[in-house]
């Protein structure tokens, strides 16, 4: 049998201080204590702040409140924190330390944060700093505001500060008291920050004054004498001078460098370096370095440029401001645009549920089961995202497009199968009650106002009601297509309006081509602000196709001139060039100038191609290929996106496409390289394609009266003397004639015979000339062009024969004699 142990376990009861220590080292207790101290800090802070507004009213009430009433919080005061807060604020502000009492809040806040483990500061150091600053601040405010506050309720330094200030003034006077306060402040600053001592050393050594004096002295000494070509520089010893001279003379003119060193305790001496006559010298001496700042030898380079290298520094004149000529220009305001009262558009949930049910039923009727379906409502469309069950072929759903449209009784639907980046199939269905996306709502949006694009274009809203914007500089050219009445002209106006609201006239110029003569005429008022034209043109808005050819070739010349300037400036694009010019690192005397962006907008491009053909297409292709880097961008619009209008050359250089509704799938494939534009619902509904991405957008609606108000607002302000002048273009063959023009001084030998034949027959036919004179089609065509230029036959009329303008042989002979 085991023996029982008689040993008793003794338990040691912890003492009071041990329990107290454990209590305060407990994390939960510390956090609660810190939280309580933080609330107390906020309470005291509110009482002190309220004292500035209510202290005068509460002072007499507080003085008369018995201590017992104060404990019971009896009495009526105006302080935000009640009687206790009013008494505490009066105690701290008037009777103790004044404004510096706020330092107490700083310490209490640090203590609360420390207990809650929000920071890891030393409470002892924080306490010493707060106590010192509390006493010093009380003395400082009392000394500064000693006079003039006798009759007020507040003592900015408190009674403590006023007592100390009066004692010190009576003993050491006002200057002594000021020096004492300043000295104690510097001592506190030295203990608080390690940066104080270097700052005081620098301040007390007057190094800033010496640098200013030395800078003036070096400016006078480092001058280049034009006649002698002598360069004044600074060296330590004569030996270093001789080494620098030999080094300078042995090197090539473009590589000459001089090593300059500074000694610690040597006075500045000046020696001369002779530079050979006729060589232009540019100085790049830096500001003199003081001995204390020298770590290693400082190398200064004197570049003597050779050839066409340009060194220019106009930074002393400050940065160039391109907006200075129109510094008073005011951007258009959003109240010029119409705000359509659409209110808070309520989503028709019943319509959504009904459409979801019909889509699901239609697909199930064809044996396609749906796992889920959800709707996203846009301004004019609703996107239904369908997730089919496993094993369903996507092509099977795509083939049911017409059946789904029939079940929904919709104008037309568009199926996106699959949706890019999502595992769903999208079905876009037009809303029965579409919204108008106003230009005002787009322009006033925060996204547009805060955008940093170079050429921002706010196009409209996406199917998720988000503002859709793009940077025309990144496109860099845009091709627009759409049938008549589908919103193409409104889209062009939206592009122009967006740019007018964000760009200053000095930063942007438009070249507007309007063969219809009526679309862009409303912008004639901004000619002296934003438009560009040829030097001899009467109007800035181009309506004649011959002027279009001249303008496009002039833009090619402008493009080439800009590339020459970029090459001389050693920059790659217009943004780098303009930044360099603004900083005055390019010499205007060398031809450099600030370059505005140029946006070319051509409406009815198809009409121009039919009229001028290759003469239009070739300069457009040149501009589209090269002009991006020099800030020239094109927007081309056509209502017939056929392959003979939008050729492969045009499509290759216009990666960004904007398609409104077109009449056929072939047109959609021509403009977008995919179907979809033929399924749009019109009225501003568009597809925007950039590379492989395609997004559906409801174009912002801007009406003609709105555009007229914006143009009138801009036109009423001060503008430039004339429109922006494009370079004059001279044809390669004849300076006085357009490319392709007919020269009657070099007529065909058969000209007279052909003219007599057509007048006798009264039939202007090229085939007639071919048969009668047994010549080829090309020569007969040139003959017909010469006859048209001479006024014998009329212009080309398609399949019809040309009209003969001369009715008899007598008038013909008179005309032929005048041409000889």
């Amino acid at each position: 049998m085991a023996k029982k142990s008689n040993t008793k376990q003794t338990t040691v009861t912890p003492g009071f201080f041990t329990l107290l220590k454990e209590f305060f080292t407990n994390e939960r207790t510390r956090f609660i204590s810190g939280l309580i101290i933080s609330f107390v800090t906020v309470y005291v802070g509110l009482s002190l702040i309220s004292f500035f507004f209510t202290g005068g009213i509460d002072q007499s009430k507080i003085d008369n409140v018995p201590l017992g009433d104060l404990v019971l919080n009896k009495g009526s005061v105006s302080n935000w924190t009640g009687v206790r807060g009013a008494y505490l604020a009066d105690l701290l502000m008037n009777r103790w330390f004044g404004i510096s009492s706020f330092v107490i809040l700083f310490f209490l806040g640090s203590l609360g944060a420390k207990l809650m483990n929000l920071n890891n500061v030393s409470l002892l150091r924080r306490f010493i700093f707060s106590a010192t600053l509390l006493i010093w601040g009380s003395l400082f405010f009392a000394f500064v505001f000693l006079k003039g506050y006798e009759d007020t309720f507040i003592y900015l330094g408190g009674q403590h500060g006023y007592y100390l200030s009066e004692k010190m003034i009576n003993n050491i006077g006002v200057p002594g008291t000021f020096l004492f306060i300043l000295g104690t402040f510097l001592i506190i600053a030295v203990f608080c920050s390690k940066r104080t001592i270097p700052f005081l050393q620098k301040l007390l050594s007057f190094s800033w004054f010496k640098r200013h004096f030395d800078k003036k002295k070096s400016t006078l000494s480092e001058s280049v004498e034009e006649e002698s070509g002598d360069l004044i520089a600074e060296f330590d010893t004569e030996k270093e001078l001789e080494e620098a001279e030999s080094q300078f003379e042995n090197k090539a003119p473009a590589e000459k460098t001089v090593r300059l060193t500074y000694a610690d305790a040597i006075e500045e001496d000046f020696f001369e370096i002779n530079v050979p006559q006729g060589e232009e010298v540019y100085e790049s001496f830096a500001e003199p370095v003081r001995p204390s700042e020298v770590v290693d030898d400082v190398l200064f380079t004197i570049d003597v440029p050779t050839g066409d290298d340009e060194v220019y520094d106009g930074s002393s004149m400050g940065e160039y401001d391109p907006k200075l000529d129109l510094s008073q220009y005011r951007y258009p305001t959003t109240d010029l645009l119409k705000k359509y009262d659409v209110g808070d558009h309520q989503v028709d949930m019943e319509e959504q549920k009904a459409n979801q049910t019909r889509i699901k039923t239609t697909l199930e009727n064809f044996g396609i089961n749906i796992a889920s379906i959800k709707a996203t409502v846009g301004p004019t469309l609703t996107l239904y995202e369908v997730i089919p069950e496993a094993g369903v072929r996507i092509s099977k759903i795509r083939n049911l497009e017409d059946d789904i449209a029939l079940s929904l009784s919709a104008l037309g639907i568009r199926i996106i199968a699959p949706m890019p980046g999502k595992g769903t199939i999208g079905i876009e269905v037009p809303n029965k009650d579409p919204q108008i996306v106003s230009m005002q709502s787009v322009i006033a949006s925060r996204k547009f106002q805060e955008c940093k694009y170079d050429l921002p274009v706010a196009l409209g809203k996406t199917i998720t009601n988000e503002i859709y914007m793009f940077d025309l500089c990144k496109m860099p050219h845009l091709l627009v297509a759409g049938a008549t009445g589908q919103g193409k002209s409104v889209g062009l106006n939206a592009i122009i309006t967006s740019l007018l609201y964000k760009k200053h006239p000095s930063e942007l110029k438009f070249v507007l081509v309007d063969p219809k003569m009526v679309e862009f005429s409303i912008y004639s008022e901004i000619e002296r602000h934003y438009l560009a034209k040829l030097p001899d043109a009467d109007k800035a808005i181009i309506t004649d196709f011959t002027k279009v050819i001249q303008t496009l070739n002039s833009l090619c010349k402008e493009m080439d001139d800009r590339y020459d300037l970029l090459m001389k400036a050693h920059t790659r694009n217009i943004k780098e060039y303009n930044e360099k010019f603004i900083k005055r690192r390019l010499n205007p005397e060398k031809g450099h100038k600030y370059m505005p962006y140029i946006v070319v907008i051509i409406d009815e491009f198809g009409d121009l191609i039919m009229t001028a053909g290759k003469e239009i297409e070739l300069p457009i292709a040149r501009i589209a290929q090269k002009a991006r880097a020099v800030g020239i961008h094109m927007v081309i619009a056509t209502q017939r996106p056929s392959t003979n209008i939008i050729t492969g050359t045009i499509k290759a250089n216009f990666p960004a496409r904007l398609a409104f509704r077109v009449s056929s799938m072939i047109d959609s494939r021509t403009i977008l390289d995919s179907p979809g534009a033929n399924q749009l619902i019109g009225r501003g509904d568009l597809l925007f394609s950039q590379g492989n991405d395609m997004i559906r957008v409801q174009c912002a609606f801007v009406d003609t009266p709105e555009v007229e108000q914006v143009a009138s607002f801009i036109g009423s302000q001060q503008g430039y003397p004339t429109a922006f002048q494009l370079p004059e273009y001279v044809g390669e063959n004849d300076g006085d004639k357009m490319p392709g023009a007919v020269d009657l001084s070099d007529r065909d030998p058969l000209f007279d015979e052909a003219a007599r034949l057509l007048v006798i027959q009264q039939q202007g036919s090229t085939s007639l000339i071919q048969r009668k004179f047994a010549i080829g089609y090309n020569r007969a065509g040139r003959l017909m062009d010469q006859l048209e230029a001479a006024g014998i036959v009329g212009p080309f009329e398609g399949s019809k024969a040309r009209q003969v303008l001369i009715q008899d042989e007598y008038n013909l002979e008179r005309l032929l004699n005048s041409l000889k």
Side-chain angles (χ1 to χ4, degrees), residues 352 356 372-376 382-387 422 424:
Q352 278 190 40
Q356 289 179 7
S372 66
I373 182 172
K374 68 174 183 177
T376 303
T382 299
L383 173 64
Y384 296 93
E385 293 186 54
V386 175
I387 301 178
K422 298 182 179 180
T424 60

Side-chain angles (χ1 to χ4, degrees), residues 548-566:
V548 177
I549 300 173
Q550 281 183 305
T551 303
L552 291 175
N553 285 288
S554 175
L555 284 168
C556 291
K557 189 174 186 302
E558 172 76 10
M559 175 183 70
D560 295 335
D561 293 343
R562 289 190 172 196
Y563 267 111
D564 289 339
L565 293 177
L566 259 65

Side-chain angles (χ1 to χ4, degrees), residues 296-316:
D296 257 337
D297 293 348
V298 183
L299 181 66
F300 296 93
T301 303
I302 304 175
D303 295 324
V304 183
T306 59
D308 295 332
D309 292 338
E310 181 180 353
V311 178
Y312 178 78
D313 184 11
S315 56
S316 59

Side-chain angles (χ1 to χ4, degrees), residues 334-341 437-441 501 701-703 705-706 709:
T334 54
D335 56 4
L336 298 172
L337 301 174
K338 186 176 180 181
K339 184 184 294 185
Y340 292 90
D341 188 16
V437 178
S438 66
M439 196 69 197
Q440 190 273 343
S441 64
Y501 266 86
F701 179 70
V702 52
D703 205 359
E706 299 175 61
Q709 288 186 3

